[in-house]
Amino acid sequence: MKLTLKIWRQATTDATGAMHTYQLDGVSEDMSFLEMLDVLNEQLNASDEEPIAFDSDCREGICGMCGLMINGQAHGPEVTTTCQLHMRSFKDGDEITIEPWRADAFPVLKDLCVDRSALDRMIQSGGYISANTGSAPDAHAAPVEKKKADRAFDVATCIGCGACVAACPNGSASLFLGAKITHLGELPQGQPERWDRVIGMVSQHDHDGFGGCTNIGECASACPKEIPLDVISQLNKDLRTAMVKGR
Amino acid sequence: MAMHDGTQALNQASNQLSDDAHGYYTRGENIIDAKAPVGPIKDRWTNRKFENRLVNPANRRKLDVIIVGTGLAGGAAAATMGEAGYNVKSFCYQDSPRRAHSIAAQGGINAAKNYKEDGDSTFRLFYDTVKGGDYRSRESNVYRLAEVSANIIDQCVAQGVPFAREYGGLLDNRSFGGVQVSRTFYARGQTGQQLLLGAYQAMERQVGAGTVQEFTRHEMLEVIVVDDRARGIIARNMVTGEIETHLADVVVLATGGYGNVFFLSTNAMGSNVTAAWRAHRKGAYMANPCYTQIHPTCIPVSGEHQSKLTLMSESLRNDGRIWVPKNREDCEKDPRDIPEEDRDYYLERIYPSFGNLVPRDIASRQAKNMCDEGRGVGPLVGDFRRGVYLDFADAIARMGKKAVETKYGNLFDMYARITGEDPYESPMRIYPAVHYVMGGLWVDYDLQSNIPGLFVTGEANFSDHGANRLGASALMQGLADGYFVLPNTIRDYLADGPFEKVSEDHPAVVEARTSVEERITRFLSINGTRSADSYHKELGHIMWEYCGMERSEDGLRKAIDLIRELKADFWSNLKVLGTADSLNQSLEKAGRVVDFIELGELMCIDALNRRESCGGHFRAESQTEDGEALRHDDEFAYVAAWEWGGDSLDGGQPVLHKEDLIYTAIEMKQRSYK
Amino acid sequence: MAVSGLLFIAFTLVHMYGNLKAFSGQEKFNDYAHHLREFGEPILPYEGFLWITRVGLLVALVAHVTSAVILARRASRARTTKYQYKKNKHSALSSRTMRWGGAALLLFIIWHLVNFSFGKVNPQTGETGAAAGDPYTLMVDTFDVWWMTVIYLVAMLALGFHLHHGTWSATQTLGYTNTATSRQRAKQAGWLLAIVIAGGFSLVPLSVMFGIIE
């Protein structure tokens, strides 16, 4: 198939960016979206135009490195990561707009690459259980109710791609935060630090300039791992409890 | 299986009679692992932990530790070393430590917990791992791995890793990869992800505490060796292009495997050999580079555009039946129109007792044989169809669609998403893909390479899996190295520190930095016509064709010639646009590809030298009458540790050092699956 | 935001119920209006309850608007470079119109207070204050002007939207919707309150317009 691609190009963080239009012919529907961009880059390289920078690593939907705004939707029209989106979701003659994640907490580094280290900083501010190596009791010391273990797992599948932030009209990272708060809060091992964790992570979230949540729900529909909005409620509940406890 | 306590040698040193690689290498001195422990095998690690010297807690913060890579081995090590109070600098090429490719492991992690009371033990896990590795690994290392495996599970649970649980709230286990005990812990099909996030969170906690400094989007391009000790690295800031010098008392490489030498593999796009290869060129030995694991159940290539391959759990072979058409003319037909009598269920035919459950290497090799005969299915890629059917029609008829969906639903969905075909309606197509490499930098028992102060952990080293890795053992090794082994062995080295400060003007530092800068300038100034990717693809074709599932003397010689031509062409016809001082993905690729080309050449030489079939290495010249792999323990029970001998374009040849494998606890046996 | 919002939900529900007194005729309606001033006597002084409510609502309004302004400013700072093209996947229109809808409601409330409470402006006669007539007359005269009815109906639509998202959003913000079921219930409550309150309010102007109330 033949496509018209409108792609955001920006040389550096401080440079002014703009949309550029490219024509690409011979796209097969078996290609993944990123393979389609690989083909475009080969073509650009051959015609002495610098290839488009975009992030990807595992290309099997688990590492969270890829993430493009495709036709105004984070990761495109399907519920999956950009790398798992295939060209059979498009048709001959389509015009596709491709932009980077846009949030001031995620500055553009070049073209479609953004800096998501703000997500790491939130984890640094409490998104862990303090268990030094070697200090652990036997794994069977604390049984975990299956229901809780399953819920913890379901929300622990967050891949940290940032699609929730990209899709949120407020630029909030509440879904990301809520997923980690819920994961660790469901487990007995996560209880001792539960209230400090939520205060620490939320403060860092606000400090890094993410927006506040108004429960619109675009985040959950953009999430390739289908993390539900429940986790934001859980986040709020934990935050409220933590404030009552005076942390 | 007889148990021996490990105090007496059970085999002789090898004596190689063949010399297939004559003319491609020079022979160096035999080496021994000077750190190898002796005595009863069950006491070796305990004794070593006691014998290794301690570092005073007050001294730890004066010691700088560089750890490259943030997967299970690197992330766990950074967290643990940070907790202990060392000054850690952690590097990764991704935008966050959480992206390391350990995250993609699906199946599970082995541990000798014996929670099922089904006869498992440390010794049994040790035995299975050595046997699975086709007796080409070091006993002491493997025993230690089995010994610490139980601690890994405890550690991960304490960190909040949400392993699968039973209704009673206790951890669930399953049997994996054909072993008869249930010792595999798992978190649905995303065990690697959960374990990695555990290590990542532990590491981020130390970043918050200030003991670990993280350098993301940084690529290590050179190791700094001063007075015969590794004292730092040269890294490129991939955003600004700045060439940075980082000095330290010790350097740890946890940089993963080099499966991407085949271009198409299940590795991540960025997985590369550069860190390990730069260390190799600085003198570190590369051990058993030809040992490659090929996984039989991957989604086949769909065309020339393909950028990577996706693995599906091999549990699919429990219920699916593998077949190809008997007649080539049927290969283009809709498989549902091919009558039963025209189908060849080749694994069931050749291996009636194991059928579709034969080991990974056999299933892979037979699939290739079928396709080479022209009976492959799916789209033509080049001159061949590269795929065989994995059919669930019988399973659906037997168990019902619902049951199949419960068991394999997520895999079927993944297949449907990638191929656009419905596996409930027509058979899946599968084909083998490179998945893991057992070879890697040579290390001693303490995980130290032959360069003092350079430690190597996880898939990047060669130590624990011999010629083949058992399922669910990669995660085990990565975490064992990172949490429990390295922190205990590295202290013996660091007890001599802090070492004399090295200045950035030291000639060795300047030399390292200059060589990196010159290389980058060279990539940008060739101004040829071909992209780095196109060289990578061509290299992949050569490696897959001649150094893949089946290797032959003639094929390997041809491959070496082709690779040398490719390398010469690379240096004269490469085209990299953009600049050195910005984010430049073409430039990053160029550096990685040329290191892969050099590695590919060494892999072929290693494969050519090893005229035996063992584990993931199958030499056409060494098989039984039935086409089974045939080992030659008397000739090849050794680790091939290769020393860099200069670029072949300048007449250089790698130098082979042999480390004999002497077993004291297990006797070597030939396997049979007929 | 959530607490003040819930307060408004409770207030509008009671207010709407009171308005329905209009169907009981002029006398009953005026009695009800007067009774509100005597509510709580003798413990409270005349109009005491009314003033407590007014002050309470004013505090809630200030809190509500302040939170809204803070959230809006944070959102605009969180994304200073806008998307060239952005599509919304599954979110409700009501959730994305809270800000403009809220601003419109604020303007409406100011007029509404001028109309019926502080100014007592009769749009038909042009009289103000006591001359505008008793509460019932003022109401009927107001809604006899067709464009006033349209303004009120549009405002009720905005209120319905605001309540639809606001109800579920408040429960979510307060952390009461941790499961798929409770989330669904909160959303159903949003629908219910939006229809009951906005619908109930709309009955009076519609009835005046169609001559059911005269």
Side-chain angles (χ1 to χ4, degrees):
Chain A
M1 55 180 124
K2 193 174 176 182
L3 300 169
T4 304
L5 303 167
K6 296 172 108 178
I7 301 177
W8 182 262
R9 307 235 31 191
Q10 180 175 340
T12 60
T13 304
D14 302 324
T16 316
M19 300 299 283
H20 288 235
T21 306
Y22 302 96
Q23 304 293 333
L24 189 62
D25 205 351
V27 176
S28 139
E29 62 166 26
D30 287 327
M31 286 180 183
S32 72
F33 195 82
L34 297 179
E35 285 167 352
M36 181 273 291
L37 289 180
D38 289 340
V39 173
L40 174 66
N41 274 346
E42 270 293 323
Q43 188 178 300
L44 291 179
N45 198 61
S47 60
D48 286 329
E49 185 171 349
E50 204 185 331
I52 297 152
F54 63 90
D55 278 324
S56 79
D57 205 25
C58 78
R59 294 212 182 175
E60 49 186 279
I62 195 76
C63 78
M65 183 104 170
C66 66
L68 299 174
M69 208 66 180
I70 300 164
N71 282 343
Q73 292 176 295
H75 292 306
E78 317 279 347
V79 181
T80 188
T81 54
T82 302
C83 65
Q84 290 291 291
L85 177 66
H86 281 71
M87 295 313 292
R88 65 183 72 92
S89 299
F90 301 89
K91 56 183 195 306
D92 188 41
D94 273 0
E95 184 179 291
I96 305 175
T97 348
I98 308 171
E99 291 181 74
W101 285 171
R102 293 199 191 279
D104 286 37
F106 291 169
V108 173
L109 298 173
K110 182 172 183 174
D111 298 341
L112 304 170
C113 300
V114 299
D115 177 0
R116 286 168 290 195
S117 50
L119 300 181
D120 291 331
R121 289 193 289 276
M122 270 187 267
I123 299 295
Q124 287 156 23
S125 312
Y128 48 74
I129 289 171
S130 300
N132 281 6
T133 303
S135 62
D138 185 87
H140 271 176
V144 183
E145 198 183 319
K146 185 165 167 54
K147 213 172 108 189
K148 291 190 167 200
D150 286 350
R151 184 172 190 227
F153 173 83
D154 283 341
V155 298
T157 55
C158 166
I159 57 173
C161 63
C164 47
V165 178
C168 176
N170 295 312
S172 170
S174 289
L175 196 72
F176 172 84
L177 262 184
K180 191 47 63 193
I181 292 293
T182 309
H183 161 208
L184 299 178
E186 280 290 336
L187 299 171
Q189 293 83 0
Q191 299 312 311
E193 294 165 291
R194 186 168 180 179
W195 315 118
D196 289 334
R197 175 181 308 123
V198 67
I199 297 285
M201 291 185 79
V202 169
S203 314
Q204 184 62 39
H205 171 274
D206 295 355
H207 175 81
D208 262 323
F210 290 103
C213 177
T214 60
N215 305 314
I216 293 173
E218 279 297 320
C219 54
S221 353
C223 178
K225 297 294 152 185
E226 300 178 76
I227 307 277
L229 279 181
D230 315 1
V231 301
I232 297 183
S233 176
Q234 186 70 54
L235 166 72
N236 290 328
K237 186 176 179 184
D238 279 22
L239 184 63
R240 192 186 67 206
T241 314
M243 291 193 318
V244 169
K245 285 177 184 280
R247 299 283 172 145
Chain B
M1 132 189 175
M3 280 177 78
H4 299 271
D5 67 356
T7 49
Q8 274 182 331
L10 301 171
N11 64 305
Q12 307 263 312
S14 60
N15 178 25
Q16 186 178 342
L17 303 171
S18 67
D19 195 11
D20 284 5
H22 180 76
Y24 289 104
Y25 74 105
T26 50
R27 186 77 167 78
E29 295 286 301
N30 275 17
I31 52 170
I32 53 158
D33 172 4
K35 304 277 180 54
V38 289
I41 194 152
K42 64 178 174 42
D43 299 332
R44 289 178 190 172
W45 177 232
T46 311
N47 290 344
R48 173 54 52 89
K49 279 191 287 187
F50 179 72
E51 289 157 11
N52 275 354
R53 290 169 295 163
L54 301 169
V55 179
N56 179 338
N59 264 348
R60 292 180 196 164
R61 77 180 80 93
K62 296 179 202 150
L63 288 161
D64 297 327
V65 180
I66 284 176
I67 302 178
V68 187
T70 59
L72 292 180
T80 307
M81 300 292 288
E83 287 160 10
Y86 297 98
N87 218 345
V88 180
K89 282 181 170 183
S90 157
F91 293 80
C92 65
Y93 71 80
Q94 298 93 339
D95 75 332
S96 163
R98 67 181 293 155
R99 316 264 187 238
H101 200 56
S102 306
I103 205 158
Q106 299 171 0
I109 177 168
N110 286 332
K113 277 283 197 187
N114 195 26
Y115 279 158
K116 295 283 173 192
E117 194 57 33
D118 56 1
D120 199 12
S121 63
T122 301
F123 199 91
R124 191 178 296 280
L125 175 55
F126 156 65
Y127 176 84
D128 286 350
T129 308
V130 171
K131 180 175 169 235
D134 233 358
Y135 305 95
R136 290 295 175 265
S137 51
R138 277 198 207 126
E139 266 184 348
S140 301
N141 292 54
V142 179
Y143 194 89
R144 173 177 65 188
L145 176 66
E147 195 177 334
V148 303
S149 65
N151 305 72
I152 297 173
I153 303 303
D154 299 341
Q155 181 61 31
C156 295
V157 166
Q159 287 170 346
V161 170
F163 282 120
R165 287 181 184 266
E166 297 169 337
Y167 283 98
L170 300 178
L171 295 162
D172 192 18
N173 295 124
R174 60 185 175 194
S175 107
F176 198 81
V179 297
Q180 288 160 311
V181 292
S182 289
R183 62 160 76 105
T184 305
F185 294 78
Y186 65 101
R188 225 164 288 172
Q190 285 153 258
T191 317
Q193 180 197 28
Q194 295 309 315
L195 295 175
L196 182 71
L197 293 182
Y200 157 74
Q201 285 164 200
M203 174 179 148
E204 291 301 303
R205 171 177 162 237
Q206 293 313 118
V207 174
T211 59
V212 176
Q213 239 183 309
E214 67 183 17
F215 296 84
T216 57
R217 291 193 194 264
H218 273 67
E219 181 161 31
M220 169 186 157
L221 294 176
E222 196 54 271
V223 56
I224 297 168
V225 180
V226 177
D227 300 334
D228 294 326
R229 285 176 189 274
R231 293 303 305 274
I233 62 167
I234 304 291
R236 179 171 179 271
N237 178 328
M238 293 157 73
V239 177
T240 64
E242 194 184 335
I243 303 301
E244 300 173 354
T245 304
H246 295 272
L247 298 166
D249 294 283
V250 71
V251 175
V252 180
L253 299 186
T255 50
Y258 49 78
N260 271 349
V261 68
F262 292 88
F263 184 70
L264 288 182
S265 79
T266 66
N267 284 5
M269 298 305 287
S271 299
N272 67 81
V273 75
T274 290
W277 195 253
R278 302 329 289 176
H280 173 62
R281 289 185 57 133
K282 271 273 159 85
Y285 298 163
M286 180 61 86
N288 301 331
C290 77
Y291 290 161
T292 317
Q293 187 172 74
I294 293 181
H295 198 286
T297 52
C298 298
I299 299 175
V301 175
S302 66
E304 274 300 314
H305 57 264
Q306 191 96 17
S307 61
K308 79 151 280 162
L309 295 171
T310 304
L311 182 149
M312 292 185 294
S313 168
E314 65 183 334
S315 63
L316 287 170
R317 289 197 282 144
N318 291 338
D319 290 301
R321 296 181 71 195
I322 296 173
W323 62 276
V324 290
K326 279 186 181 158
N327 310 309
R328 290 179 194 188
E329 310 82 74
D330 289 347
C331 291
E332 283 175 50
K333 278 192 188 163
D334 183 327
R336 287 166 292 185
D337 297 340
I338 301 173
E340 201 59 31
E341 64 269 19
D342 287 338
R343 300 176 174 192
D344 180 10
Y345 295 90
Y346 58 91
L347 289 177
E348 298 170 24
R349 172 172 58 83
I350 307 172
Y351 309 95
S353 56
F354 277 79
N356 294 299
L357 291 171
V358 291
R360 287 176 178 180
D361 55 316
I362 295 180
S364 300
R365 208 162 52 241
Q366 291 298 358
K368 180 180 189 294
N369 290 343
M370 296 304 132
C371 297
D372 288 351
E373 282 176 24
R375 294 196 286 147
V377 296
L380 269 177
V381 178
D383 296 332
F384 290 95
R385 295 175 199 281
R386 296 281 180 209
V388 298
Y389 290 123
L390 175 63
D391 200 334
F392 281 83
D394 286 355
I396 292 172
R398 187 180 75 241
M399 305 154 64
K401 189 179 167 187
K402 194 86 201 150
V404 171
E405 197 179 326
T406 317
K407 224 166 159 183
Y408 305 112
N410 59 338
L411 296 167
F412 278 37
D413 290 349
M414 181 165 81
Y415 182 85
R417 179 172 297 144
I418 293 173
T419 62
E421 293 167 13
D422 181 359
Y424 293 102
E425 290 302 316
S426 68
M428 287 184 174
R429 288 174 295 111
I430 55 166
Y431 201 65
V434 174
H435 160 64
Y436 188 88
V437 294
M438 282 71 67
L441 290 174
W442 184 89
V443 289
D444 61 20
Y445 185 70
D446 281 357
L447 303 183
Q448 184 168 218
S449 72
N450 57 307
I451 299 177
L454 182 72
F455 289 72
V456 189
T457 60
E459 192 181 348
N461 74 28
F462 87 104
S463 71
D464 296 354
H465 304 297
N468 205 5
R469 180 179 63 73
L470 281 188
S473 286
L475 302 181
M476 173 170 70
Q477 188 219 342
L479 288 180
D481 284 2
Y483 284 132
F484 298 105
V485 179
L486 179 86
N488 274 306
T489 57
I490 204 171
R491 59 181 155 86
D492 193 54
Y493 180 80
L494 288 172
D496 287 328
F499 301 103
E500 197 183 326
K501 283 272 169 262
V502 177
S503 126
E504 293 210 5
D505 309 331
H506 190 286
V509 179
V510 173
E511 182 274 326
R513 193 169 50 225
T514 314
S515 73
V516 166
E517 285 163 352
E518 284 173 357
R519 220 163 94 102
I520 288 174
T521 313
R522 197 171 162 200
F523 291 139
L524 286 164
S525 58
I526 298 171
N527 266 326
T529 58
R530 287 183 65 180
S531 70
D533 264 345
S534 78
Y535 285 103
H536 197 177
K537 274 190 188 178
E538 191 172 336
L539 173 69
H541 283 305
I542 298 170
M543 294 301 291
W544 183 242
E545 197 54 41
Y546 303 109
C547 197
M549 282 175 276
E550 183 171 322
R551 297 140 180 200
S552 71
E553 192 178 340
D554 292 344
L556 289 163
R557 285 177 197 280
K558 186 172 176 194
I560 295 168
D561 289 344
L562 289 171
I563 293 172
R564 288 180 178 172
E565 284 169 30
L566 188 70
K567 184 161 60 171
D569 190 63
F570 177 94
W571 285 117
S572 60
N573 201 17
L574 174 74
K575 178 177 185 178
V576 177
L577 298 171
T579 58
D581 59 357
S582 65
L583 199 161
N584 188 339
Q585 293 173 330
S586 309
L587 180 63
E588 293 159 17
K589 282 179 195 160
R592 293 171 192 167
V593 169
V594 69
D595 289 338
F596 275 133
I597 294 176
E598 292 180 359
L599 166 75
E601 189 181 344
L602 182 66
M603 286 173 73
C604 292
I605 294 171
D606 185 41
L608 184 58
N609 174 60
R610 191 170 284 275
R611 192 188 177 90
E612 68 159 347
S613 298
C614 59
H617 169 65
F618 186 87
R619 272 288 296 268
E621 295 84 359
S622 182
Q623 48 185 312
T624 63
E625 283 174 17
D626 306 327
E628 291 302 310
L630 186 64
R631 272 190 354 247
H632 297 294
D633 295 335
D634 46 343
E635 282 193 79
F636 290 103
Y638 68 79
V639 173
W642 297 90
E643 182 184 352
W644 174 251
D647 193 327
S648 58
L649 294 180
D650 307 326
Q653 283 187 338
V655 184
L656 173 63
H657 300 275
K658 294 180 184 178
E659 179 202 333
D660 276 310
L661 291 167
I662 304 295
Y663 286 87
T664 61
I666 294 177
E667 285 174 65
M668 291 190 268
K669 293 221 171 64
Q670 199 80 235
R671 70 173 189 175
S672 171
Y673 287 97
K674 282 253 168 167
Chain C
M1 182 64 106
V3 175
S4 52
L6 288 180
L7 217 64
F8 286 129
I9 292 173
F11 169 73
T12 47
L13 197 62
V14 175
H15 184 0
M16 181 275 296
Y17 173 75
N19 284 13
L20 296 182
K21 285 275 176 203
F23 289 101
S24 324
Q26 184 163 13
E27 197 178 332
K28 288 256 171 77
F29 185 80
N30 287 341
D31 275 356
Y32 161 72
H34 182 71
H35 177 70
L36 284 180
R37 284 157 177 75
E38 289 174 344
F39 196 87
E41 276 184 319
I43 293 177
L44 295 172
Y46 181 72
E47 289 198 346
F49 169 76
L50 204 61
W51 277 104
I52 289 171
T53 311
R54 282 173 177 162
V55 170
L57 286 173
L58 190 68
V59 170
L61 185 70
V62 170
H64 206 71
V65 172
T66 311
S67 307
V69 169
I70 291 173
L71 276 169
R73 284 176 61 181
R74 274 184 66 185
S76 82
R77 281 197 208 120
R79 184 173 293 128
T80 47
T81 310
K82 305 281 175 240
Y83 285 107
Q84 306 279 314
Y85 181 55
K86 172 79 164 72
K87 228 184 202 161
N88 292 301
K89 265 187 175 166
H90 292 117
S91 55
L93 181 63
S94 63
S95 68
R96 285 177 274 116
T97 49
M98 291 299 273
R99 270 163 213 153
W100 288 112
L105 281 174
L106 185 62
L107 288 178
F108 164 75
I109 288 164
I110 293 169
W111 161 247
H112 179 57
L113 292 177
V114 170
N115 186 185
F116 285 117
S117 184
F118 299 112
K120 291 202 170 60
V121 177
N122 188 324
Q124 196 155 316
T125 60
E127 299 286 354
T128 58
D134 64 35
Y136 188 84
T137 314
L138 183 57
M139 175 188 77
V140 174
D141 282 0
T142 300
F143 295 132
D144 266 342
V145 182
W146 70 268
W147 51 270
M148 279 310 301
T149 307
V150 170
I151 287 177
Y152 269 85
L153 289 178
V154 168
M156 285 313 105
L157 192 68
L159 180 65
F161 268 58
H162 214 75
L163 286 170
H164 173 251
H165 179 69
T167 306
W168 117 260
S169 182
T171 53
Q172 168 88 349
T173 299
L174 292 174
Y176 295 121
T177 43
N178 299 332
T179 61
T181 324
S182 55
R183 186 149 40 91
Q184 203 187 354
R185 284 200 193 118
K187 291 203 163 176
Q188 283 163 351
W191 275 108
L192 188 73
L193 285 169
I195 292 168
V196 169
I197 296 178
F201 274 131
S202 305
L203 282 179
V204 179
L206 283 172
S207 302
V208 175
M209 196 164 81
F210 291 116
I212 299 167
I213 295 174
E214 287 177 337

